[in-house]
Amino acid sequence: MNQPAPQLTGSSLTFTQLFSSTQRGARLARLLAVNELHSWGAPQGITERVEIVVAELAANAVLHGSVPGRSFRLTLVLDASPGLLRVEVTDARGELYPQIVTGTAAADALRPGGRGLSLVTALADHWDCVPYAPSGKTVRAVFSSPWRPSRPSSTGSLPSNDIDQSQEMVSFR
């Protein structure tokens, strides 16, 4: 986690969606995030970076943060005035926080996974993890970009869709 988290202020565009804690839910989260960014007029460069980060965070929520019967939530928040885009993935396992595990290059090369948070660190300007009451956690990644959305609504935010849809090595403590 490379820098203090920038604060989002003023009017913003927001997209929120619940997804089933399955591989299909993680894939759908990635696809809908890209679709929403396209509808906001996001440049291709930021869309590609966000797509990879959403894929990694959603996969981690499914693999490490799922509880039977509980969904995970994806939230995108664009605050155009300072040019900040925040990606949040919230899951139900608040006792398991992501940790970047370091090791030797030879040992890391043999692991089948474990590079996801390295990608998040490389692509996002900042990421962190915070508690989500009553028992979950939210992993947040922030991207800065000078782009302005092309389709804001008259209220300054886009509708929310709260519909449930039917790797450095990450260790969770």
Side-chain angles (χ1 to χ4, degrees), residues 63-80:
L63 292 172
H64 306 293
S66 64
V67 171
R70 300 282 303 272
S71 301
F72 73 92
R73 174 181 290 122
L74 169 68
T75 302
L76 305 175
V77 179
L78 171 65
D79 190 357

Side-chain angles (χ1 to χ4, degrees), residues 12-15 32-42 76 78 80 147-161:
S12 60
L13 299 176
T14 303
F15 170 81
L32 287 178
V34 169
N35 186 58
E36 192 66 21
L37 290 174
H38 283 298
S39 77
W40 290 352
L76 305 175
L78 171 65
W147 126 77
R148 299 290 184 255
S150 61
R151 189 181 65 92
S153 70
S154 60
T155 62
S157 71
L158 296 176
S160 247
N161 296 321

